[in-house]
Amino acid sequence: MQQLFLSFLPAVSDSLHSCTKMEKPQDHNDREPSKSRTTPASPTCASSASVKCAGSTSFHPPPTQSPWSEISPPPTYRPIRSPAINPPPNTNSQAIILAPVPQSQKVLTISLPHTFQSPSKKIHSPDDIRQFINSDSSKNFLGFIVSLSESIRSHKTSDSFHESTTLKKIVSIIETLIQWTEEIPPAQQSSRYGNISYRTWHNRLVENSESLMLQILPELLKSSMVEIVPYFTDSFGNSSRIDYGTGHETNFAAWLYCLARMGVIEEADYQALVSRVFVTYIELMRKLQLVYNLEPAGSHGVWGLDDYHFLPFIFGSSQLINHKFMKPKSIHNEDILENFSNEYMYLSCIVFIKKVKKGLFAEHSPLLDDISGVPNWNKVNSGLLKMYRAEVLEKVPIMQHFLFGSLIQWEECVYQLYKNV
């Protein structure tokens, strides 16, 4: 665990699913007692008084001791949101461990005049994923996320940063979206997930999206709305399925990346972009999740990092790098969570998870519990960056909804070169 928490993914599966591997006990009345498994399957009536003549005697003997080990006792709770009953998806954790840590990159800004285009979906198969992940567009986009992570390193959320007028307008836009949740209350309905009033909220978002974009775009870039509005409207969930997940969160990062490519956001804004804009975005999404009961989109359930988010764990772990007192294991200290969750995104995520999930933390969030055993936050941060690339950007079910235009380009020639190697 000291090298990287991801190497313990198989161990989590083995530990939590040991109960599924036990033999199902049979009715003792229909089975003969036996001293060992080598006892003949068909004893005579004389050999055992408890055996019924002509009855079935081919069952295995009952276990002689409790099947539960001291290390893995039987669960004593039932979480509000039941964990997945199937084993976690097969993940090549060794490949993730050996992969290089993603590095920051300077965002490549466009030159004006520029021809913007309506973005479209391009990813439909693993081959398309390989084409995307090997492209310059993918590397520059992921490099932008790494740059955001590095900008907030060892800083609290409340620290003073340069905050441009544009960022203040973006925060104001998100606060407007939060206010809409007060104006559009949830409908009374019997189903637990997917409140239909969310569709009303999302329709208002779509109807006002262009006017919201005009608040931050200069005159020369107003033509970009055809390209950046789809990223923006896809950043807050899907109105048909009434769900939200890491794909929508990635769309919000892509929208910010597009603004950076156009020069609307500059590198000097990155710290405030995380501590002001992204923190407010997470506040909005938690509000939507609670008010409208958004379904987790493509969630791994108990096997995932979180039902909805990934990026706040990356940014939050970066905030805690080199902290004198708080270590990864500090997430189990309730006093630390209570006093510092407003200052560090990672702790805020833990507090929210404990709010919406009941039971033992190690059982409803085993991966996060494993991460708490990593010795320092720098290793946590680098591991999460690798995991984000492998579990989000390289997954077809998530990236099949991702959009490509002139700002995030789909590079056709990359996969041809890949095939010829």
Side-chain angles (χ1 to χ4, degrees):
M1 184 179 291
Q2 292 182 351
Q3 291 186 356
L4 192 63
F5 59 86
L6 290 172
S7 63
F8 280 78
L9 283 174
V12 174
S13 173
D14 293 341
S15 174
L16 291 182
H17 284 272
S18 61
C19 62
T20 64
K21 297 179 181 179
M22 297 186 304
E23 293 180 300
K24 183 178 179 181
Q26 304 292 332
D27 186 356
H28 289 195
N29 293 328
D30 293 333
R31 169 173 72 213
E32 67 174 80
S34 176
K35 295 182 180 180
S36 69
R37 295 182 182 272
T38 59
T39 302
S42 301
T44 64
C45 295
S47 65
S48 176
S50 62
V51 176
K52 298 178 182 180
C53 291
S56 174
T57 59
S58 60
F59 297 101
H60 290 297
T64 58
Q65 61 182 2
S66 172
W68 301 103
S69 68
E70 294 180 359
I71 298 177
S72 179
T76 58
Y77 82 109
R78 172 70 66 178
I80 289 180
R81 183 176 299 144
S82 299
I85 60 175
N86 297 318
N90 291 327
T91 303
N92 190 354
S93 57
Q94 189 66 23
I96 298 176
I97 295 170
L98 297 176
V101 179
Q103 300 297 309
S104 61
Q105 285 193 16
K106 185 178 180 64
V107 172
L108 305 175
T109 56
I110 62 172
S111 300
L112 296 177
H114 181 85
T115 302
F116 297 98
Q117 63 186 66
S118 178
S120 59
K121 300 176 183 179
K122 298 291 186 180
I123 294 177
H124 308 286
S125 67
D127 287 344
D128 295 332
I129 285 289
R130 284 190 288 270
Q131 177 173 347
F132 167 66
I133 211 68
N134 286 285
S135 68
D136 291 337
S137 294
S138 168
K139 295 173 183 176
N140 199 233
F141 172 60
L142 182 56
F144 168 70
I145 292 176
V146 178
S147 296
L148 294 181
S149 175
E150 292 178 352
S151 72
I152 200 69
R153 177 173 295 179
S154 304
H155 288 290
K156 297 185 295 185
T157 300
S158 63
D159 286 351
S160 298
F161 301 116
H162 165 74
E163 191 172 357
S164 66
T165 302
T166 299
L167 292 191
K168 291 179 180 178
K169 290 179 179 179
I170 295 176
V171 170
S172 177
I173 289 173
I174 299 175
E175 289 174 343
T176 298
L177 303 184
I178 294 176
Q179 179 59 37
W180 289 355
T181 63
E182 304 292 337
E183 301 171 6
I184 306 173
Q188 296 296 322
Q189 61 183 51
S190 58
S191 59
R192 179 178 178 186
Y193 286 111
N195 193 283
I196 58 175
S197 290
Y198 171 75
R199 291 175 177 152
T200 304
W201 182 93
H202 198 276
N203 287 339
R204 183 184 292 190
L205 168 71
V206 174
E207 292 169 359
N208 292 273
S209 57
E210 291 191 3
S211 62
L212 294 174
M213 292 302 98
L214 289 176
Q215 296 180 30
I216 60 175
L217 292 177
E219 186 68 30
L220 290 175
L221 292 172
K222 287 184 178 180
S223 59
S224 68
M225 286 195 297
V226 66
E227 185 160 345
I228 67 172
V229 164
Y231 289 105
F232 181 74
T233 55
D234 282 349
S235 298
F236 308 98
N238 182 277
S239 60
S240 298
R241 299 186 301 269
I242 314 184
D243 64 7
Y244 173 86
T246 51
H248 302 104
E249 181 186 70
T250 300
N251 269 323
F252 185 74
W255 177 68
L256 296 176
Y257 173 74
C258 289
L259 295 180
R261 286 217 64 197
M262 295 189 296
V264 177
I265 292 175
E266 300 177 349
E267 194 168 345
D269 298 321
Y270 283 5
Q271 290 178 329
L273 191 62
V274 177
S275 65
R276 303 295 186 266
V277 173
F278 197 81
V279 166
T280 309
Y281 168 74
I282 294 299
E283 179 186 350
L284 165 63
M285 293 318 307
R286 288 176 181 162
K287 185 84 171 178
L288 293 174
Q289 290 157 23
L290 293 176
V291 172
Y292 301 120
N293 296 321
L294 301 187
E295 185 83 27
S299 170
H300 292 316
V302 74
W303 309 113
L305 190 67
D306 177 73
D307 281 341
Y308 298 102
H309 296 288
F310 202 116
L311 292 179
F313 291 95
I314 293 178
F315 301 149
S317 61
S318 182
Q319 285 184 294
L320 289 161
I321 289 176
N322 297 326
H323 197 283
K324 291 182 179 180
F325 308 109
M326 280 185 276
K327 306 300 179 184
K329 65 181 179 181
S330 297
I331 66 168
H332 301 295
N333 187 312
E334 294 298 330
D335 289 336
I336 287 178
L337 293 178
E338 180 179 354
N339 291 290
F340 296 100
S341 61
N342 290 333
E343 294 287 6
Y344 299 98
M345 277 178 278
Y346 196 100
L347 302 183
S348 175
C349 290
I350 300 298
V351 169
F352 185 75
I353 289 172
K354 289 189 173 185
K355 177 181 178 181
V356 299
K357 293 186 177 182
K358 303 301 180 183
L360 298 177
F361 185 78
E363 294 186 347
H364 63 61
S365 301
L367 183 52
L368 288 171
D369 186 64
D370 271 359
I371 294 173
S372 69
V374 177
N376 59 69
W377 289 109
N378 192 60
K379 287 184 177 292
V380 172
N381 183 253
S382 60
L384 288 174
L385 285 169
K386 292 181 182 182
M387 190 176 176
Y388 181 74
R389 178 175 58 195
E391 295 298 320
V392 177
L393 299 185
E394 294 184 7
K395 295 300 182 184
V396 175
I398 296 175
M399 298 305 292
Q400 65 182 343
H401 305 292
F402 197 71
L403 301 172
F404 296 88
S406 67
L407 298 173
I408 303 179
Q409 296 181 352
W410 178 255
E411 301 172 21
E412 297 285 356
C413 62
V414 174
Y415 183 58
Q416 296 300 323
L417 293 174
Y418 173 86
K419 289 173 64 178
N420 294 332
V421 172

